[in-house]
């Protein structure tokens, strides 16, 4: 739900090499990354700067290839992880019409040479044009050309020409085209803005151009129907923004936000500055509802503490949208003609336009006797998270081991469909890739879990494959220096880190891992034992990088007629209860009451207790909006008990909706832990898997069982977790096994997150089987994986490359 009025927030704390202040630069967003290029102040900047809005860290990626010269007032369009740069000023009086492409997957620049149009000449060198991407085309309009042959002089010519640039899939372009346009075109101009919007339910994209400069500031709004190629002046309602140039225009939802820019001095209410006798910057903002075509002006009052409640006036800044936030950085706030220099800003702000979206369900990292390590995926617009739990009113089920048909030897191997795996065990997932990633997993058997609260680190050591989600980063002095391309597992975060969580949005800073970024999460589909967790490791032979899994889901609810050896159907829907109240100690808990675990700026919590709400003298719960947890009574978690969890994001606009409910159990004593430190080594005709034995409180480990995921329905290539079936490929006492090419030829390629072959391994002691480790061996989507497997069905989908934690990007198929 949108807030009544957006709220500006200044980013006061960040790390890394901050770019020097400038104007005329451009920005684009790739997931949680803000990518800034060009612009200048006392010289044109050449570096590519990246700001991670989650870790609040600036970094300089190690770019290579046909690196373009620095430019200002250029075109900058982004699609997926591809950025196109066209034109701009490369030095005083010298403009460009060169076209460059940046593949952010590899930070690789490439100079492109599009074919000229059949019905005219290619675009001339220019600056201040608009360059807008939609579908497989970029649309170029207007700008300013220099008709002087002398680079030291300037004969300006305003342009209103219109070009299409047709793109190739993934990389490269085909050529320019001059479409046949109907209607009266906008007047020639530069330093205007352009956006493309298509309303929901109809494919009729419209290109909108607002403002600009042609000797004087413009405030007109133009619309181009990209289907009919017809220009019109749309009718609008409400007060239009002041005419301006060098402003920014961005779309969030169905609203077009216009901020800042140069405005005529007569339009400026503050005329106290004698130097501003020609024009002035503004920090005014308006938005246009693109469905109703209604303008609305936004006004912010100064905060009570006297601090600015919005960015100061500026022009030539950059702006980009990440999630529901609008980020702006730098720009100039005036021109002191008497002093002959620019005054540039160096501050970073974002506009909070909505409450956080609904998060995905809470997943389990690890369970112990009296604690549950839970985590949740990040929300791009959340500043903190409220975590709540609800005790399950029923008593925990008694321990039981795997059914005999699941453990017995068979030839051919026994197929164990997912629905036949036991319920009750939580599932912890660890995902790795590459030899380096596997080595990271090998070292994380005793990785310490750190919680960062207010910049402090508190260590909690546990024996588990990994406790730290891979998308949680830390900011410290151990970061790798810029320019290094090789992945390192000795540092927790690369200086070139471009951490992007797949289709989720990126995280707040979290605990460090001394062996690389590692991720664990809950997968109830892997319930092999009813008392602990399943740990999942994802491994890829090459290249060496840490990967992230997003296929976690909460534990299923158990049917009334179900025994302890058969799980219920998987579900992530909300859970309700009609059972009686729960008695814990001397405190009676209502079965429909949710209890706060706390408010967290991290993406995880080691839950050992929760807070009981304050009660009055009659025992009734007192309502409170912002409880002081220090004054509330704590209730500890108990062994073998089930708890329901939900989480909600919080930002300046308020608290968002709670996630769907997920349920997890604390452990019962006696069962072995999950095998850890999994490592996969690829040979010519097989792979070798090794692991380290887990702790076993009740005697020695009697045996291990390794399972391989196969497809239940072989007509399908991409499957969900519920479609998986498993065959046992190893049973024995050794801590290593070999998987042959014939076994791998039957493997399922799981595409629920990143393409991977799935293994599961569990250990058994005298009590029975404990938690299982699920390993996702990542596969290359471009090259066939040796040994051979069944080829996936053809698809017209284009691969989309996603940044990983080392500053490089992995490839997945765009859905």
């Amino acid at each position: 739900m949108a807030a009544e009025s957006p709220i500006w927030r200044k980013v006061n704390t960040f790390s890394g090499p901050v770019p020097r202040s400038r104007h005329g630069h451009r920005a684009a967003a790739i997931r949680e990354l803000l990518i800034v290029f060009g612009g200048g102040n006392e010289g044109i900047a050449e570096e590519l700067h990246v700001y991670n809005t989650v870790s609040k860290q600036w970094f300089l990626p190690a770019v290579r290839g046909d690196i373009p010269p620095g430019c200002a007032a250029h075109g900058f369009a982004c699609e997926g992880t591809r950025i196109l740069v066209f034109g701009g000023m490369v030095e005083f009086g010298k403009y460009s019409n060169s076209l460059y492409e940046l593949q952010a997957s590899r930070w690789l620049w490439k100079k492109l040479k599009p074919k000229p149009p059949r019905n005219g000449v290619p675009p001339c060198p220019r600056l201040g044009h608009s360059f807008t991407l939609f579908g497989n085309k970029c649309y170029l309009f207007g700008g300013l050309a220099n008709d002087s042959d002398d680079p030291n002089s300037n004969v300006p010519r305003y342009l209103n020409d219109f070009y299409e640039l047709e793109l190739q899939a993934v990389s490269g372009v085909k050529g320019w085209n001059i479409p046949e346009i109907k209607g009266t075109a906008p007047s020639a101009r530069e330093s205007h803005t352009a956006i493309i919007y298509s309303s929901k339910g109809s494919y009729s994209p419209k290109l909108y151009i607002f403002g600009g400069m042609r000797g004087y500031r413009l405030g007109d709004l133009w619309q181009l129907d990209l289907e009919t190629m017809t220009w019109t002046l749309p009718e609008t309602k409400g007060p239009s923004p002041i005419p301006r140039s060098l402003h920014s225009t961005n779309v969030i939802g169905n609203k077009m936000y216009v901020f800042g820019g140069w405005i005529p001095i007569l339009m400026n209410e503050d005329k106290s500055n004698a130097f501003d006798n020609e024009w002035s910057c503004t920090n005014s903002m308006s938005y246009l509802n693109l469905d109703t075509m209604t303008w609305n002006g936004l006004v912010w009052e100064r905060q009570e503490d006297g601090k600015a409640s919005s960015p100061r006036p500026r022009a030539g800044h950059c702006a980009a949208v990440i999630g529901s936030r609008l980020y702006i950085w730098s720009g100039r706030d005036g021109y002191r003609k008497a002093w002959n220099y620019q005054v540039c800003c160096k501050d970073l702000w974002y506009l909070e336009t909505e409450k956080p979206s609904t998060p995905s369900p809470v997943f389990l990292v690890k369970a112990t006797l009296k604690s549950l390590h839970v985590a949740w995926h990040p929300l791009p617009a959340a500043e903190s998270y409220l975590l709540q739990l609800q005790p399950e009113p029923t008593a925990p089920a008694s321990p039981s081991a795997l059914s005999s048909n699941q453990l017995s030897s068979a030839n051919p191997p026994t197929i164990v469909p997912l629905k036949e795996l036991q319920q009750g065990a939580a599932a912890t997932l660890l995902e790795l890739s590459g030899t380096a990633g596997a080595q990271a997993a090998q070292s994380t058997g005793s990785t310490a879990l750190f919680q960062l609260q207010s910049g402090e680190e508190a260590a909690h050591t546990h024996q588990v494959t990994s406790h730290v989600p891979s998308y949680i980063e830390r900011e410290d002095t151990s970061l790798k220096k810029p320019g290094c391309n090789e992945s390192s597992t000795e540092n927790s975060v690369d200086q070139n880190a471009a951490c992007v969580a797949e289709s989720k949005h990126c995280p707040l800073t979290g605990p460090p891992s001394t062996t690389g970024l590692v991720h664990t999460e809950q997968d109830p589909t892997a319930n092999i034992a009813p008392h602990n967790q399943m740990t999942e490791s994802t491994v890829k032979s090459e290249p060496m990088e840490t990967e992230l899994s997003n296929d976690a889901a909460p534990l299923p609810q158990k049917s009334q007629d179900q025994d302890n050896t058969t799980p219920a159907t998987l579900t992530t829907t909300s859970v309700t209860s009609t059972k009686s109240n729960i008695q814990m100690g001397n405190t009676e808990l209502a079965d429909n009451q949710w209890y706060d675990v706390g408010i967290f700026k991290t993406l995880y919590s080691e839950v050992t207790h929760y807070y009981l709400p304050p009660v009055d003298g009659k025992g009734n719960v007192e309502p409170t909006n912002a409880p002081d947890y220090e004054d509330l009574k704590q209730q500890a978690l108990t062994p073998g008990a089930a708890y329901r969890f939900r989480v909600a994001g919080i930002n300046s606009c308020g608290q968002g909706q709670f996630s769907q409910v997920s349920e997890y159990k604390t452990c019962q004593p006696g069962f072995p832990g999950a095998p850890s430190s999994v490592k996969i080594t690829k040979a010519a005709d097989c792979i070798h898997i090794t692991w380290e034995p887990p702790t076993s409180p009740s005697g020695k480990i009697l045996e291990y069982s390794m399972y391989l995921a196969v497809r239940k329905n072989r007509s399908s290539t991409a499957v969900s977790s519920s479609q998986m079936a498993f065959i046992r490929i190893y049973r024995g006492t050794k801590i290593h096994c070999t998987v042959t090419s014939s076994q791998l030829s039957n493997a399922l390629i799981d595409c629920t997150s990143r393409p991977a072959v799935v293994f599961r391994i569990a250990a058994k002691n005298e009590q029975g089987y404990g938690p299982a480790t699920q390993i996702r061996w990542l596969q290359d989507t471009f090259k066939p994986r040796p040994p051979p497997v069944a080829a996936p069905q053809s698809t017209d989908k284009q691969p989309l490359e996603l940044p990983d934690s080392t500053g490089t990007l992995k490839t997945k198929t765009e859905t």
Side-chain angles (χ1 to χ4, degrees), residues 129 146 254 296 385 398 487 489 662:
H129 48 282
N146 184 5
N254 65 343
N296 291 275
Y385 298 87
S398 60
S487 173
T489 59
S662 52

Side-chain angles (χ1 to χ4, degrees), residues 175-248:
W176 292 105
N177 178 48
I178 302 177
E180 183 178 348
I181 302 295
K182 303 174 185 177
T184 303
S187 58
R189 65 191 65 201
E190 56 101 2
S191 299
H192 55 281
T193 53
I195 62 98
I196 295 178
Y197 175 75
S198 181
S199 60
K200 293 182 179 180
S202 65
Y203 184 83
S204 57
K206 306 290 193 304
L207 183 144
Y208 293 92
I209 287 177
F210 175 75
M213 171 71 174
R214 58 164 306 169
Y216 54 88
R217 269 75 198 175
L218 301 170
D220 48 353
L221 177 71
W222 290 83
Q223 174 185 285
L224 175 65
D225 189 316
L226 296 180
E227 289 295 303
T228 63
M229 283 295 170
T230 303
W231 283 109
T232 56
L233 277 167
E235 293 184 3
T236 62
K237 295 173 286 186
S240 299
I242 298 171
R244 65 191 66 203
S245 63
L246 291 173
H247 53 285
S248 62

Side-chain angles (χ1 to χ4, degrees), residues 398-403 406-407 420-427 522-535 555 564-565 567 665 667 671-674 707 760-765 767-773:
S398 60
S400 63
L402 277 173
S403 58
Q406 295 173 5
L407 294 179
E420 295 179 8
L421 298 178
Q422 281 190 300
Q423 183 219 9
Q522 168 73 15
D523 183 359
T525 68
N527 298 332
I528 291 183
H531 310 293
N532 294 293
Q533 306 73 38
M534 173 164 295
T535 304
L555 276 176
N564 292 332
T565 62
K665 285 184 179 180
C667 294
F671 290 86
Y707 295 86
R760 288 174 179 171
I761 179 174
K764 179 184 178 182
N765 64 7
Q767 291 286 98
Y769 268 89
T773 300

Side-chain angles (χ1 to χ4, degrees), residues 356-380:
S357 57
T358 303
S360 57
V362 175
F363 58 85
L364 186 67
V365 176
K366 179 179 172 59
T368 65
L369 292 176
K370 296 184 178 182
S371 69
L372 291 168
H373 298 212
V374 296
W376 48 91
H377 290 296
L379 297 175

Side-chain angles (χ1 to χ4, degrees), residues 43-46 68-74 87-98 100 125-127:
I44 296 179
E46 299 179 349
C71 56
H74 47 287
M89 182 174 69
V90 292
E91 59 183 72
F92 178 78
K94 183 178 180 181
Y95 306 158
S96 168
N97 64 348
S98 297
Y100 288 87
R126 66 188 67 200
L127 60 73

